[in-house]
Amino acid sequence: MVPRVAMRRRAAEVPPTEPTEKGNGKSHTNRICVLVSLSLFFWALLLYFHFVVIGSSTNIENQIHLQPQPQPSSYTSLRMHKFDPPKEKDPLAKPILPPAPVATTSTFNPPETVEFPFVKALKTVDNKSDPCGGKYIYVHDLPSRFNEDMLRDCKKLSLWTNMCKFTTNAGLGPPLENVEGVFSDEGWYATNQFAVDVIFSNRMKQYKCLTNDSSLAAAIFVPFYAGFDVARYLWGYNISTRDAASLELVDWLTKRPEWEIMRGKDHFLVAGRITWDFRRLSEEETDWGNKLLFLPAAKNMSMLVVESSPWNANDFGIPYPTYFHPAKDSEVFEWQERMRNLDRKWLFSFAGAPRPDNPKSIRGQIIDQCRHSNVGKLLECDFGESKCHSPSSIMQMFQGSLFCLQPQGDSYTRRSAFDSMLAGCIPVFFHPGSAYTQYTWHLPKNYSTYSVFIPEDDIRKRNVSIEERLLRIPPEQVRIMRENVISLIPGLIYADPRSELETLKDAFDVSVQAVIDKVTRLRKNMIEGRTEYDNFVEENSWKYALLEDGQREAGGHVWDPFFSKPKPGEDSGNDGNGGTTISADAAKNSWKSEQRDKTQ
């Protein structure tokens, strides 16, 4: 296209006509004809470019700058984002496509020539009259086979446990009677530790900022019951059956227009199981679990699990459900005040079973120390010991203890850690993967304010007496730590999905806000042409949430030995530094341990 200015210059350069000389009529006539012809030609050319080419270009520009944002049901071919280069339907649009985004130093100031499809969602936060600005969630309307059909066939959700009763009351399970006065009179249920799928989905139905317009959404929720799905087929089914629902889900999602916006990086889902159930490493029939979290599409999504992988970036730890699900703020405040005023006669306690098949486990030493201490309380959870599976027995012991020991189980984490903090008991951890690198959305980065850390090796080599270590903590510090634990309670519990808390934020609220923050940062970084971290290494994923504000690169860390992965041919168990490499064996053993829960 020849610019209008260029045409004006070209017209201006036409040589001026010269006056004709007397006595030269023929030459004079020829010159006039030539000049008239040239003048007509250039005027015609100028008019053509002005009305045809430039007019068409102007119309296209007006369509680009004045056309309103498309609704979720239609997506313009002129969208520019890092995952999907533009597809030109009209060849005239090609010369005027906006340039790729360039880096800028401002917080959020997208170039006017670039319109990312999620800018509309980002701008909702500027509307101060809208309480949902920047908080909208769009929920996919999945076919029922991905969620509700599983609940209708609830008897098949677990090999050892009839999950039907645990899916009642919106996933909370049957109510607990307060016979021994351990609980409150309201809000207590026999909740299964793997019921987060349905609890979270039902809480989402009550979320105040749901939207049917995905272009406004700060994040997109996928209500797939991933934990229930994998639970159905882990024992006695081939890998094709185990992977079927995950593959169907990904196929369904990737065909949706909402997926194309960020290739799924604004999507999240919840699975109430440990991450290792979804990370099958091979196509061998004997290998454990399904491969959901290794699917390319799933790697873009955020999956919230009760235990995440320290070496992968697409899953995030959220709390196990406890037995307490308040319907209003006052129930939480009353419980917190009660936990402050309890008389705690035990210095420390432990509820759990030994792991004789794991020579690296420290549970045996912990049990021995409890047995030989006059200030320690032990509740053994081996087969046939029904008290360990009684919610009232567990909570009563935790309520009477200053400190609650929380070593690793079959994997890094335990539900017991959240039950103990609900009781106002200060947790004692022996591996950073049991809490500090797991629940970074829900627990303070400064772990010493609410917990005690004793490295596993100190127990394994019998260098530390737990009793002596805890007695060295000044009483005033213990009081402050206990108060910190009690203050954390609202964000560690899941409120009753059939109601909503007035002012408090529960574990669901904390998780959703964390996802929104994550997606928002990613969107702004895309607009600014930058990344959140420098030289990101996925195998060091556990380190990034521990970085201080302003840090952009993860270096060496004092906890590196705890998360060292064995080289091929090396033992996959605990290493000499006290680290543990979790594998399919850990997930399988965790499942076997569920047999003990069937008496609950």
Side-chain angles (χ1 to χ4, degrees), residues 404-424:
C404 293
L405 310 184
Q406 302 296 342
Q408 295 186 80
D410 299 296
S411 61
Y412 288 132
T413 61
R414 308 179 71 207
R415 171 191 179 149
S416 174
F418 296 98
D419 289 334
S420 66
M421 286 189 279
L422 175 60

Side-chain angles (χ1 to χ4, degrees), residues 166-401:
F166 294 112
T167 58
T168 61
N169 293 310
L172 305 183
L176 289 172
E177 296 183 4
N178 191 23
V179 177
E180 301 178 41
V182 177
F183 313 126
S184 309
D185 291 332
E186 301 289 340
W188 289 79
Y189 298 83
T191 306
N192 186 274
Q193 65 175 333
F194 300 120
V196 172
D197 302 62
V198 64
I199 294 174
F200 202 99
S201 291
N202 284 325
R203 281 284 285 112
M204 184 63 77
K205 294 174 184 177
Q206 303 298 324
Y207 184 65
K208 294 180 179 179
C209 297
L210 295 179
T211 179
N212 290 324
D213 184 355
S214 63
S215 69
L216 297 176
I220 296 177
F221 180 58
V222 182
F224 173 48
Y225 293 164
F228 285 168
D229 170 57
V230 75
R232 297 181 293 178
Y233 305 123
L234 278 176
W235 298 95
Y237 292 88
N238 60 32
I239 59 175
S240 297
T241 303
R242 284 181 260 159
D243 293 338
S246 297
L247 293 171
E248 290 175 10
L249 174 74
V250 165
D251 180 67
W252 189 92
L253 288 174
T254 54
K255 292 177 180 178
R256 298 289 302 173
E258 296 85 6
W259 182 268
E260 291 301 317
I261 300 296
M262 295 180 69
R263 287 287 194 246
K265 292 196 173 184
D266 52 356
H267 285 50
F268 71 106
L269 67 160
V270 173
R273 300 208 64 88
I274 60 177
T275 188
W276 318 109
D277 288 334
F278 309 97
R279 294 189 178 278
R280 192 183 69 245
L281 296 172
S282 74
E283 296 301 301
E284 297 293 330
E285 295 290 345
T286 55
D287 207 349
W288 181 259
N290 67 27
K291 60 180 181 181
L292 171 59
L293 283 174
F294 283 136
L295 297 177
K299 288 183 178 181
N300 281 354
M301 295 189 287
S302 298
M303 186 153 161
L304 314 188
V305 289
V306 293
E307 176 176 316
S308 64
S309 165
W311 309 297
N312 298 97
N314 59 334
D315 58 359
F316 302 86
I318 60 174
Y320 285 86
T322 65
Y323 304 110
F324 186 38
H325 306 282
K328 49 189 176 182
D329 286 7
S330 59
E331 295 177 11
V332 181
F333 297 143
E334 290 170 6
W335 178 259
Q336 288 177 300
E337 189 61 25
R338 180 179 167 186
M339 293 304 100
R340 290 186 181 99
N341 298 322
L342 286 177
D343 179 24
R344 300 176 184 268
K345 60 181 179 179
W346 303 108
L347 176 65
F348 64 94
S349 63
F350 173 63
R355 294 292 185 266
D357 296 334
N358 183 0
K360 300 294 185 179
S361 173
I362 64 171
R363 285 191 169 207
Q365 290 95 321
I366 287 177
I367 291 173
D368 286 342
Q369 290 204 33
C370 288
R371 285 173 175 165
H372 292 91
S373 173
N374 293 326
V375 291
K377 175 68 174 176
L378 175 65
L379 191 62
E380 294 192 70
C381 299
D382 214 342
F383 290 95
E385 185 63 45
S386 60
K387 279 189 175 181
C388 189
H389 307 293
S390 164
S392 61
S393 297
I394 294 174
M395 292 302 295
Q396 190 172 38
M397 184 183 72
F398 289 159
Q399 290 173 22
S401 306

